[in-house]
Amino acid sequence: MPATLPWNRHNWPIAAAMIQYPNILPDGRCVQDVPAEEWAATLADVADAGFTELDPTDSWLRIADLGRSRLDEFMGVVRDAGLTIPAISTARRSVIDAQHGEEYLDYSHRLIDVAAEIGAGAVSFGLFQALTPEQKRALWFWTVDGYRDPDDRATWALAVRRLRELGRHAADAGIELSLEMYEDTYLGTADSAVRFVTDIDLPNVGLNADLGNLVRMHRPVEHWRTMMEKVAPFARYWHVKNYFRTEDATTGMVVTAPAPLEFGVISYRAAIREALGHGFRSAFLVEHYGGDGLSVSATNREYLRRILPR
C-alpha cells in the first residue's frame, strides 16, 4: 500500500445516507417544496447522530432540481448544521430507462454541475430502476425480483456511451464518477461490473463497490471476498452496508437481513484493506435499511473510524 493517504481514521469523509427519509412526506408534501426550516430539522438529526458529512441522496432531495435561491437556502442549512457534502448519490434514475433515459441523462449532467459548484468530489450513478409494486409491498424489497437490464449488446453499448459522456463531463468538472453495483443490472456481478467500467475506460470513472446490494439476495452469489478482489482496483466513492446471510446447503434456502457493518457476512476490515492496497482514496457512505437506520449508520461510521489507517 502506498505510504501517503489523503486522510486518516479521524478525518476520512464518512457521509450519512438519507435513504431513511422519504421524498414525499406523510401529509403529501414533497421535500423539494418544504420550507428550509424543515430541511434544517432533518439535518439536525444527522448532526445529532455525530455526522460531519452527508450525501443528500436524491431519493430524499434532488438538489440538481432546486432553483438558485432554494439551492442557496439548502447549502446554508447544511453549513448551519456543521455538515459538508463530499459526494452525491442518485437512486433509480438509470440513463437507459426505456421511458425516462434521456430525461435522466440530462438530470445527471445537471447534478454533476451542481456537485462541482458545492464542492462535492464525487457522484454515484447506477443502472437500477424503479421498484415494482410487488417489491414495494414486501418487507424487504430485494426478496422480490425486480427490473433486469436486458441481455442485449445494443443496450449495453448505449449504457456505456451515456455513462462515458457523463464521465467526460465529470472529468472536466474535477469530479469522480462511481458506478453502483446492483443486482440484475450490468453492474450486478463483479465480472460484469469490471467489464462495464473497463469499456467506459476513463480514469475518473470507477465502481461503487456496494457488495451489500449483492450478498442480500436470496439466491446463490459469488463470495464477497472474491468479488472484492476483482473490483478493488476500480473502487471509488463507496456505499457500505452489511447483511446477515444464512445458506442451507441441503435445501438451497438462503435468508438475509440487514446487519450493522461489523456484524454482517462481509468483513469490511478485510475489504477496505484490499481497496486501500489498490489505491482507494475516496469518501464512504454509511447506510442501513430498517429500524433506526440513521443510528445504525452512526455505529457503522464509528466502526470505520476504528479500522481505517491511523
Side-chain angles (χ1 to χ4, degrees), residues 11 28 59 63 81 117-118 131 145 173 192 205 262 287 305:
N11 61 7
S59 58
I63 66 171
E117 178 182 342
I118 67 173
L131 295 174
D145 285 344
S192 182
V205 179
E262 62 188 301
E287 55 184 355
R305 297 264 181 238

Side-chain angles (χ1 to χ4, degrees), residues 7-293:
W7 305 292
N8 58 48
R9 64 176 55 175
H10 304 293
N11 61 7
W12 206 292
I14 302 174
M18 300 300 286
I19 57 173
Q20 57 272 357
Y21 294 101
N23 179 255
I24 301 299
L25 299 174
D27 61 8
R29 292 178 303 148
C30 179
V31 173
Q32 298 290 120
D33 305 320
V34 301
E37 292 78 13
E38 294 189 44
W39 292 338
T42 300
L43 296 193
D45 286 348
V46 175
D48 287 346
F51 284 97
T52 52
E53 294 90 19
L54 87 150
D55 177 336
T57 317
D58 66 8
S59 58
W60 174 61
L61 180 67
R62 302 183 312 280
I63 66 171
D65 288 342
L66 295 174
R68 165 52 51 196
S69 63
R70 291 287 277 165
L71 179 61
D72 290 344
E73 273 189 295
F74 177 69
M75 292 308 299
V77 167
V78 171
R79 288 190 296 271
D80 289 347
L83 298 165
T84 61
I85 300 175
I88 304 170
S89 297
T90 64
R92 307 192 184 283
R93 288 176 171 78
S94 170
V95 296
I96 55 170
D97 182 288
Q99 288 185 295
H100 304 290
E102 291 188 4
E103 172 192 339
Y104 293 157
L105 179 63
D106 290 341
Y107 166 83
S108 298
H109 279 293
R110 296 199 307 275
L111 186 58
I112 289 169
D113 287 335
V114 170
E117 178 182 342
I118 67 173
V123 179
S124 175
F125 292 114
L127 294 173
F128 51 109
Q129 299 195 20
L131 295 174
T132 66
E134 293 78 13
Q135 286 179 308
K136 291 178 181 178
R137 286 193 291 269
L139 174 61
W140 303 123
F141 63 83
W142 55 85
T143 62
V144 178
D145 285 344
Y147 167 82
R148 293 174 179 263
D149 279 339
D151 183 11
D152 174 71
R153 281 182 158 186
T155 308
W156 174 288
L158 176 64
V160 168
R161 185 167 64 251
R162 287 184 169 176
L163 285 164
R164 184 186 291 133
E165 174 186 325
L166 292 173
R168 287 173 173 156
H169 178 184
D172 291 341
I175 300 287
E176 72 174 26
L177 255 56
S178 191
L179 306 180
E180 183 172 354
M181 298 178 70
Y182 195 96
E183 74 270 8
D184 298 328
T185 72
Y186 297 143
L187 302 159
T189 67
D191 290 327
S192 182
V194 167
R195 184 161 67 92
F196 189 84
V197 76
T198 302
D199 280 0
I200 292 174
D201 192 24
L202 291 174
N204 69 313
V205 179
L207 295 175
N208 175 350
D210 193 346
L211 302 186
N213 286 340
L214 306 183
V215 304
R216 69 189 179 191
M217 302 305 295
H218 284 201
R219 65 175 80 153
V221 295
E222 185 176 11
H223 194 281
W224 69 265
R225 191 179 295 275
T226 58
M227 286 196 286
M228 195 67 220
E229 289 170 355
K230 294 173 182 178
V231 304
F234 305 93
R236 295 290 195 278
Y237 178 50
W238 192 352
H239 293 183
V240 291
K241 58 180 175 288
N242 217 342
Y243 290 82
F244 298 112
R245 180 180 175 92
T246 297
E247 301 178 5
D248 185 340
T250 61
T251 65
M253 184 182 71
V254 177
V255 177
T256 69
L261 208 59
E262 62 188 301
F263 298 138
V265 69
I266 300 168
S267 168
Y268 275 97
R269 186 184 299 273
I272 288 171
R273 284 178 177 169
E274 180 82 25
L276 289 172
H278 285 279
F280 176 75
R281 303 292 184 270
S282 302
F284 292 96
L285 173 82
V286 285
E287 55 184 355
H288 181 84
Y289 284 100
D292 184 352

